[in-house]
Amino acid sequence: MITNLHSFLHQYFTVHDCKVITENDTEMTIQLTRDLDQVLMNRPFYWHYMDKIGRQGEPLSLELDTNTEKKDNNKEWIHYGSPRLQQIFQHIKQQARYTMLYEEKDSLNKSALLPWLVTNLKVQYAGSQKKEDIYSIGLQLINGSIVSNMMNQIESIALQRVMSDYSYTISPIIRPISGFNRIFQFVEDQLLDQNWQWAIESEKLLQEELKLVEYFFDKQEDNQDILNKEKERLHERLQPKIIIEIINAGLFYLKEETTQSIINKART
């Protein structure tokens, strides 16, 4: 699960070439690029006018507060479930569902880059109470090591879209499609270890509501179609279920020492 939303957002904006102007543990000011301004700031008429008069235009900046509770400041509070975060997730799904990045290096020595499958997943809990969690999982495609909070692990690593000179990639032993299956199984195993009281309570409430509508419509004739629709509506609203959805994924080629460091941290 992504436990550090701040790090996740930092990675998102830097990967999209935005400049982090100021930042502390819970606040950040981001200078947007034109592309992200168009995605996030809802100013189509402004950009249309800039293009019409032949000017470059000025992208806006975002001042975000990632604290767990809303503070009395001028920054936009962004949290799980907030419209801004959902907007970012939607952009990731549409424009950056899959990417390939390479760790930057500046030495003249030839060095290998090892493949990682990095996947960000949204886990939605549906029932009488709804919530969602974000999981960021990295799978090393040579030895099969799995690491949680992968975005936090790589946030300080310089990544680029083009491989540096004197670098070469090692071909995956584990195929990406098999890697996705391993990641899903890993997340499902973690979910099985959670407290399922929410699902028990939601199922209990569903059965109680079904009995009520059956009792009500039992007193009336020729209402079977309405009864069936009411039951369907109750199942849709209260039936406990978990939905796992891929936000985005990528093949990341990292240096051997970086790979070993990530695996070592995951073991501690």
Side-chain angles (χ1 to χ4, degrees):
M1 183 190 312
I2 292 181
T3 56
N4 193 327
L5 176 60
H6 191 96
S7 296
F8 179 83
L9 292 170
H10 179 100
Q11 185 78 10
Y12 167 78
F13 286 115
T14 53
V15 163
H16 287 85
D17 300 320
C18 295
K19 182 180 179 181
V20 180
I21 302 172
T22 60
E23 184 176 25
N24 57 37
D25 290 342
T26 60
E27 298 175 350
M28 62 172 70
T29 301
I30 307 296
Q31 177 59 59
L32 299 175
T33 61
R34 169 171 173 156
D35 287 342
L36 275 199
D37 185 297
Q38 290 178 294
V39 168
L40 301 178
M41 305 311 290
N42 192 27
R43 300 197 298 162
F45 296 111
Y46 171 79
W47 290 111
H48 176 74
Y49 179 69
M50 289 296 105
D51 290 340
K52 187 174 182 179
I53 64 176
R55 293 180 57 184
Q56 289 186 341
E58 297 183 5
L60 296 175
S61 60
L62 270 178
E63 295 184 341
L64 301 177
D65 181 358
T66 61
N67 206 298
T68 54
E69 296 181 358
K70 183 175 177 58
K71 290 185 175 181
D72 186 16
N73 57 30
N74 294 325
K75 291 179 170 56
E76 177 182 343
W77 184 39
I78 186 168
H79 56 91
Y80 296 113
S82 66
R84 178 71 72 194
L85 189 59
Q86 298 307 311
Q87 189 183 32
I88 288 172
F89 285 159
Q90 188 64 28
H91 175 240
I92 290 173
K93 286 169 60 178
Q94 292 176 347
Q95 303 296 328
R97 195 172 183 93
Y98 184 84
T99 189
M100 183 177 294
L101 296 173
Y102 304 88
E103 183 173 1
E104 182 181 346
K105 64 180 285 293
D106 53 13
S107 72
L108 299 181
N109 299 323
K110 291 196 68 174
S111 59
L113 299 176
L114 305 182
W116 285 81
L117 177 62
V118 178
T119 307
N120 294 313
L121 303 168
K122 180 163 66 173
V123 178
Q124 296 175 291
Y125 302 82
S128 57
Q129 296 183 358
K130 293 177 172 57
K131 71 168 187 173
E132 63 182 39
D133 289 327
I134 307 298
Y135 285 76
S136 180
I137 309 297
L139 172 67
Q140 217 285 314
L141 294 177
I142 299 295
N143 60 23
S145 296
I146 293 183
V147 174
S148 300
N149 300 323
M150 189 64 179
M151 292 299 288
N152 294 344
Q153 299 282 358
I154 63 176
E155 65 173 336
S156 61
I157 299 172
L159 299 169
Q160 56 190 19
R161 301 182 190 278
V162 179
M163 186 165 50
S164 299
D165 292 338
Y166 303 103
S167 295
Y168 62 95
T169 59
I170 302 296
S171 297
I173 293 176
I174 302 169
R175 293 182 304 159
I177 187 63
S178 177
F180 278 114
N181 291 333
R182 293 193 188 201
I183 288 173
F184 270 95
Q185 187 61 56
F186 175 79
V187 172
E188 288 172 2
D189 290 343
Q190 289 196 327
L191 294 175
L192 288 174
D193 291 335
Q194 292 185 0
N195 187 332
W196 285 82
Q197 188 61 34
W198 67 273
I200 295 172
E201 292 175 356
S202 188
E203 181 64 31
K204 180 181 177 181
L205 180 59
L206 172 62
Q207 296 306 319
E208 291 173 353
E209 293 287 332
L210 288 172
K211 288 180 181 179
L212 283 175
V213 297
E214 287 174 353
Y215 175 80
F216 177 78
F217 284 102
D218 186 51
K219 304 294 184 180
Q220 305 180 39
E221 298 180 357
D222 302 325
N223 280 320
Q224 190 61 45
D225 288 343
I226 299 176
L227 174 60
N228 290 338
K229 289 181 180 179
E230 284 296 313
K231 286 183 174 181
E232 182 180 343
R233 183 182 63 83
L234 286 171
H235 276 282
E236 182 178 340
R237 182 167 63 89
L238 298 175
Q239 184 74 55
K241 54 183 174 290
I242 294 178
I243 303 166
I244 303 177
E245 178 184 357
I246 295 177
I247 299 173
N248 68 339
L251 198 58
F252 288 28
Y253 284 92
L254 306 179
K255 293 186 290 190
E256 291 184 73
E257 55 267 35
T258 302
T259 290
Q260 194 57 52
S261 174
I262 290 173
I263 293 173
N264 290 341
K265 287 181 181 178
R267 289 173 178 169
T268 58

